[in-house]
Amino acid sequence: MTRIVDVARRAGVSTATVSRVLNGKSVRPELVAAVRAAVDELDYVPDRTARSLRRRSSDVVALVLPDVENPFFTAVARGVEDVAQEAGFSVVLCNTDDDPAKEARYLAVAEHENMAGVVIAAASASPALAGLLARRRAVVAVDRAVPDAVDQVTFDNVALGRRAAGLLVERGFRRIACVTGPRATTTAVDRATGWRLALDDAGLVPSDDLLVHANFRVDGGYAATSELLARPTAPDAVLATNNLVGVGALRAVADRHLDLAASGAAGGTSVGVGIVGDLPFATSRTDDVALVPLSPRGLGTTAARMLLERLDGLDVAPRRVVQDGAAPPGGTSAGLHL
Amino acid sequence: MTRIVDVARRAGVSTATVSRVLNGKSVRPELVAAVRAAVDELDYVPDRTARSLRRRSSDVVALVLPDVENPFFTAVARGVEDVAQEAGFSVVLCNTDDDPAKEARYLAVAEHENMAGVVIAAASASPALAGLLARRRAVVAVDRAVPDAVDQVTFDNVALGRRAAGLLVERGFRRIACVTGPRATTTAVDRATGWRLALDDAGLVPSDDLLVHANFRVDGGYAATSELLARPTAPDAVLATNNLVGVGALRAVADRHLDLAASGAAGGTSVGVGIVGDLPFATSRTDDVALVPLSPRGLGTTAARMLLERLDGLDVAPRRVVQDGAAPPGGTSAGLHL
DNA sequence: TTGTATGCGTTATCAA
DNA sequence: TTGATAACGCATACAA
């Protein structure tokens, strides 16, 4: 293994000079050339562990997510990865399963592994960031708001819920239920608030028993929607406040449809479905689903950029960025959709 | 920040003894107790960077994947993560986009970051493992076979393709096309071979123009299937050799169905679809899809266990594990559908 | 600008 | 078994 001393010897300089060249400090041009030549010839690559120990900070960023199997969060991950990698950072993906204990463990690892920074979509209403903040490590909250004084980038979730519910209203549905996520999840609560507002806008009644809190996964959406549709006074439409719940809702509606057909009941007008989010792996056409597409990847890139600014030394008060949330009509990145 | 010297002072021992206690070497019981007490009181956690530098190996494992947005690979990741984490290792997720250059970069990072080991689903037919192997780092290939002398865990892809195509034959389809992945991807080639065998078994003709190589994503499956269905002598069924291609195929079939209906053509018998893989986010019922479910998570756990054995010092010839591929009947994932 | 020498926090070697 | 101390590879304070 080639070390910095090998390069120094070969270039006829001290290790300090090699280090300076490698880190862009001012060095006489001819020595720079000599060092670079030696580096190339020896195929030298600095040991990042030693560098981290000395600098007291590594070049890896932790990305703490509630569910890496949710395409929404993998898209966030891609966004973060794209810009982090560009800047020379590696990204460690940490999966919390929405479990505050697992989350706390990962945050502790990030702290003691001297990671450069953390981007977190919090599982807990109040994640264990104290240790990291005490060490003045950069932290950015993404997607879900946290109470701590850190940079945050989220969607305008109230607006998203309102828009999605509004689409259902426009399509003529009158009795619109809402299936959302856990009460501890800010996105779930805010989008449900949006649903309420949209119904108010339309002079409809956002009755409390039409609001169901499930988990934010497929099974949660399926169970909640099935239950709603089985009621004597079933809703004529369901708003799912995230993508996976939306998948579950669609399956529940499809099953219900088949059940009714089997039991000889008239094929009444089908149940409307609205979804805040995308269906990247839909196996059916989604023309009649009221979709409010998001750009989670943009969320990730924004969060990563904010983190990099902090790592670059930016020292201002915590910032809150609220992205509109709409996926751009054409491009791959976020565009403001007015 | 508390360091090992602080603990040593508090416990009235040397740093060497603290280190020994922390690493389970033999130490007099009373001293062990004293050290543990000091660790607790001071809330001491070893700095993993320093530890890595000294040990010349970190406790993070790189997981190199072609596409973290594919649920198949996120499931592999969960499997790896589960067992690695249990053993005290962190997992870094590296996304190569099936690009050999990106893959090579990540492998170089893994090498110079002194990562403990690498689990890789190769993007390249011959990934750049030389550096890692020269340093005797543990490497396990998962899902896709590689030419190097490393542990490998894969499915029996020929058998999987054969089984899926066989299901379509059983259902009475006679002209069965196959949409598979790139020629450089072992899984794509092997499953196509299985398709060929199944057709032979049934006395059918696996005509070469019924085999299409697409990319292994939704758009690839959609385009290839659309093209097949638009031919004058269209196939009556399509075998998709992975999950995403399967999604694309289903969408193409649905669109074709609608087009025919719109053009007033008779609603002939619908096109059969077979898929090697799962549809975790299907938005429609999949009763009439010939699915051969997999357990990618099991692939991941096996690979991680093999890696851990190597990290534990196991020094035997490279092993090849071929998993049946069928998801377990009882587990949480899709049950075997006979 | 350059070199020397020290320290980052831990583990491993060697004597005791 | 235990303690003193020398590495691990790099970056920087200080001196030149």
Side-chain angles (χ1 to χ4, degrees), chain A residues 11-25:
Chain A
V13 299
S14 73
T15 61
T17 297
V18 176
S19 175
R20 287 185 192 110
V21 170
L22 263 40
N23 293 292
K25 319 268 182 189

Side-chain angles (χ1 to χ4, degrees), chain B residues 38-294:
Chain B
V39 166
D40 282 353
E41 286 160 19
L42 297 177
D43 234 17
Y44 169 74
V45 181
D47 182 301
R48 314 174 62 149
T49 306
R51 172 176 286 182
S52 300
L53 177 61
R54 185 57 235 228
R55 287 193 185 159
R56 317 187 58 66
S57 169
S58 82
D59 46 9
V60 357
V61 168
L63 175 55
V64 182
L65 298 177
D67 181 8
V68 287
E69 302 202 58
N70 182 340
F72 177 89
F73 289 114
T74 60
V76 171
R78 284 200 78 105
V80 171
E81 201 187 24
D82 286 349
V83 346
Q85 170 132 14
E86 184 66 28
F89 288 86
S90 305
V91 177
V92 194
L93 238 165
C94 309
N95 196 52
T96 64
D97 276 322
D98 254 320
D99 174 355
K102 277 182 109 173
E103 178 175 87
R105 262 209 311 281
Y106 272 119
L107 291 172
V109 169
E111 179 185 343
H112 297 110
E113 193 106 46
N114 289 322
M115 295 191 186
V118 173
V119 175
I120 179 175
S124 154
S126 166
L129 300 174
L132 287 162
L133 296 180
R135 297 205 191 194
R136 316 216 64 219
R137 296 252 170 254
V139 174
V140 176
V142 68
D143 184 50
R144 301 178 179 180
V146 299
D148 307 79
V150 300
D151 287 340
Q152 319 221 6
V153 45
T154 59
F155 289 132
D156 182 344
N157 290 297
V158 175
L160 291 175
R162 193 176 198 164
R163 194 185 310 166
L167 289 175
L168 290 171
V169 170
E170 282 172 25
R171 295 182 187 198
F173 296 104
R174 309 284 304 167
R175 192 170 162 73
I176 303 168
C178 176
V179 179
T180 194
R183 279 175 241 275
T185 309
T186 59
T187 49
V189 173
D190 291 351
R191 291 173 190 171
T193 300
W195 159 80
R196 217 185 294 270
L197 292 177
L199 266 58
D200 280 337
D201 291 345
L204 301 173
V205 187
S207 151
D208 271 355
D209 58 78
L210 284 181
L211 173 60
V212 183
H213 287 275
N215 67 41
F216 247 158
R217 298 191 306 269
V218 176
D219 62 327
Y222 183 86
T225 305
S226 298
E227 188 272 322
L228 280 166
L229 297 184
R231 291 184 187 175
T233 56
D236 60 0
V238 174
L239 173 64
T241 62
N242 92 341
N243 56 350
L244 300 191
V245 167
V247 169
L250 287 172
R251 286 190 195 163
V253 167
D255 283 0
R256 175 76 180 173
H257 203 72
L258 248 64
D259 286 353
L260 289 182
S263 68
T269 58
S270 95
V271 177
V273 175
I275 302 178
V276 178
D278 301 273
L279 300 171
F281 304 122
T283 51
S284 58
R285 304 189 53 117
T286 53
D287 309 318
D288 46 7
V289 178
L291 287 173
V292 174
L294 303 176

